[in-house]
Amino acid sequence: MIRRLAVAAGLVALALTLAGCEPTTPIPTPSPSALTGTWHHGSDVLTLDSDGTFSLSGVPLGVVEQKAVALGGGPSGPNESVTGTWSVGSGGTDAGGAPGVQLDFVSPRKIGFDYGLTLIVSDDYPFKLYVFLGRPDSNIRYSFTRTS
């Protein structure tokens, strides 16, 4: 009997430990209207229009390719400009389930090896849109902040 109680107590402790490892609330996905507007990173400009189109200008190629940078460094490559369509969806597995904004390139159709870019939506307000530069565990982000 004592052994059964010890095993049951151990299982309860394990269940409580595992429950603490899971997020308690999902990250809310914003509506497209909550993301529509003009976003900046320095002189880079991202415009998300309510008709589902976007324009992005002045962004370094290293951002589109999400290349790793040294701590305190910046992305490399020539500045790129692109237009296309956007939608709200998943930020991908690197984002841990966070919502994302999928940019699908139309003109030019391809930058480097990429036909699009997914920006992760931050879980704080006001929202920020960002990509990781390099591995997500480096936590080096290239963020856009809405200005209008």
Side-chain angles (χ1 to χ4, degrees):
M1 178 70 161
I2 292 177
R3 184 173 178 202
R4 285 186 191 165
L5 289 174
V7 169
L11 291 175
V12 168
L14 177 62
L16 290 173
T17 300
L18 291 176
C21 293
E22 297 179 21
T24 56
T25 58
I27 299 169
T29 300
S31 67
S33 62
L35 300 172
T36 302
T38 303
W39 301 75
H40 285 90
H41 177 99
S43 61
D44 304 353
V45 179
L46 168 65
T47 303
L48 300 176
D49 292 320
S50 61
D51 65 358
T53 61
F54 79 90
S55 64
L56 176 62
S57 61
V59 68
L61 177 61
V63 172
V64 175
E65 295 178 340
Q66 298 179 36
K67 288 193 173 183
V69 297
L71 192 59
S76 62
N79 288 343
E80 302 288 343
S81 294
V82 63
T83 60
T85 60
W86 71 279
S87 60
V88 179
S90 170
T93 55
D94 291 342
V101 173
Q102 176 63 43
L103 304 177
D104 294 313
F105 300 165
V106 172
S107 180
R109 179 77 181 118
K110 183 177 174 184
I111 296 177
F113 296 106
D114 299 295
Y115 292 91
L117 178 66
T118 299
L119 301 170
I120 301 166
V121 180
S122 67
D123 60 354
D124 56 349
Y125 191 82
F127 297 121
K128 289 186 178 62
L129 303 177
Y130 65 91
V131 296
F132 289 110
L133 297 179
R135 296 175 45 98
D137 60 0
S138 72
N139 208 27
I140 298 175
R141 299 176 179 190
Y142 194 87
S143 299
F144 291 87
T145 304
R146 184 172 18 197
T147 55
S148 68

